[in-house]
Amino acid sequence: HLVESGGDSVQTGGSLRLSCEVSGMTYKLACMGWFRQTPGKEREAVAVIGSEGDTIYADSVKGRFTASQDDSKNTLYLQMNSLKPEDTAMYYCAASRGYIIATVCFADGSRLLGWWGQGTQVTVSS
């Protein structure tokens, strides 16, 4: 069970922190990640933390977004800085049901990850 929060409407250059609360799954073994989708487009990976601990970011967010996880709180975070209008999307938290390394999780996460949250909307205005 994954529940996202933190989405909002901000202006260009602003910051947001998304949270994903995890419950009822094998959190410590999972690849966890953030994905986003806009109407008419395929869902894309934003940032994933593989089961081995490596983190991969989409080129479009490198240097601006930071994914992290707090094991004690079973929470996944996405700190988003220097937001741009093209970051506007529904953001989803997802997790695998088993061990998946970051490269595979990032490349094929939309198909492989079995746990998904309901999404949280991020809107960035110019």
Side-chain angles (χ1 to χ4, degrees), residues 29-32 48-56 96 98-109 112-113:
L29 297 179
C31 172
M32 303 282 297
V48 302
I49 302 176
S51 297
E52 83 284 25
D54 289 347
T55 303
I56 297 178
S96 64
Y99 191 96
I100 302 179
I101 62 174
T103 51
V104 175
C105 192
F106 186 88
D108 207 11
L112 295 176
L113 301 191

Side-chain angles (χ1 to χ4, degrees), residues 9-58:
S9 296
V10 297
Q11 292 189 330
T12 297
S15 297
L16 285 174
R17 190 193 197 199
L18 304 184
S19 298
C20 174
E21 186 174 340
V22 182
S23 63
M25 54 170 284
T26 311
Y27 172 73
K28 292 188 183 300
L29 297 179
C31 172
M32 303 282 297
W34 291 96
F35 296 74
R36 65 187 181 187
Q37 189 171 23
T38 55
K41 293 187 177 181
E42 291 188 359
R43 188 164 47 194
E44 63 173 356
V46 176
V48 302
I49 302 176
S51 297
E52 83 284 25
D54 289 347
T55 303
I56 297 178
Y57 296 93

